[in-house]
Amino acid sequence: MASPKSSVTVNGTTYRWPLRPVVVVCIDGGDPAYLRRFLDDGALPQIARFIAHGFGTVADGSMPSFTCPNNMSIITGTPTSKHGISGNFYLDTATWQPVVMTGPELLRGDTILKKFADAGAKVISITAKDKLRKQLGKGLHVRQGHVSFSSEYASRCTLADNGIENVLEFVGMAQPDMYSMELSLFVLEAGVKLLAQRRPDLLYLSLTDWVQHKYAPDESEALRFYKALDDAFGRLAALDVTVALTADHGMSDKSNAAGEPNVIWLQDILDARFGAGTTTVICPITDAFVGHHGALGGFVRVWSKGAVSARDIIAHIASVDGIEMALDRESACRLFDMPADREGDVAVVARQDVCIGSSRAAHDLSGLKGHRLRTHGGVSETKVPFILSRPLSDRYKLKAAGQTLKSYQIFDFAINGTQ
Ligand SMILES: [Zn+2]
């Protein structure tokens, strides 16, 4: 480790210099239901040990319960309203085009990794999905010894862009498929090896939720994945570090008894009532990995071109079966701590067993291939694990006792709160 320095302040939170390396893992789609079941079965001895000797609870993630917003919350220590990444897409009302929100220029404020790197710490960020890489690595100078790469593009890493090369040989695994549990396991294996070899002060490992989208907690493939995670977490913890586990969001089954997705085709409903072209529904879950979920999630945004008011939209859709909430911009941003300048005129949240799409013709569900639709985005998927491998200090025990923790406090607890 670098020689101990003074504290580092990031977005209003002050972090002491880490006593030992801190490894934060975001188990993408890591709904607490998986851990509950597998811990009950005694299948996860390492995580069980963390909870027994360290700390474990269920925390609240940020809304909407999608991957990009929550990774940015974790890595900045702030809610969506502060860092600005409130989905994978928002609508630019100047051009009326959806804008992908993975660009680092859209991320407001600094990441914890960047500020520690500036202060002389060695930091490493590894993500499964390349779409997260640039924001997670925002402001990191990989030429100064820091590392930032994705397992999705592991075979393409260069010293100039990622701070590491020959990653497949280094990790000893083949390039993983985009739709595989190995895409996540590669991240962890790379983390174990880099931790042993370079001993970074901060290591952030972000997985992918392919397994959780596809398999419920009672399916054997989910158990196989979690056993592999547990084994890797144990090997990380054995390197004298603090391991912190959380998730970006949970995961809910959103299919009916026949196995068909329970979908509200919101654009079709709005077009039928107000006319085509008067409103635009944006599904902020949309990304390159649509085989996961057919771009169907539990949260969408509606923008009006002006002829119809938010109040009219809400009045028309609030009573649609399966819609849990339809809120105007101000109410949604106040309730869910989201940035108003990237919010739609209406924010729509689905009930736990239902998802919302735009128009039926716009979604390709062929990637589901007979699997029940499991997805996320709503309030019902905001519960996430919050687990530390080391015991809390008395001060942080008190802090944890007085509130439901937020997942974006994980770096605070891991760096400042452990003994
Ligand atoms: Zn995710």
Side-chain angles (χ1 to χ4, degrees), residues 28-29 67 209 248-249 376:
D28 199 314
T67 300
D209 54 10
D248 51 352
H249 52 78
H376 54 91

Side-chain angles (χ1 to χ4, degrees), residues 127-130 149-157 166-187 289:
T127 169
K129 299 178 182 180
D130 199 70
F149 72 94
S150 71
S151 56
E152 184 182 348
Y153 291 150
S155 64
R156 304 186 200 173
C157 287
N166 302 322
V167 173
L168 302 185
E169 293 82 350
F170 176 70
V171 176
M173 287 175 70
Q175 173 63 48
D177 189 81
M178 187 156 139
Y179 296 109
S180 71
M181 69 173 69
E182 283 70 30
L183 196 68
S184 290
L185 300 180
F186 192 101
V187 172
F289 286 72

Side-chain angles (χ1 to χ4, degrees), residues 22 72 102-103 196 283 286 334 361 375:
V22 167
M72 294 312 121
T102 52
C283 303
T286 308
R334 194 176 52 235
T375 189

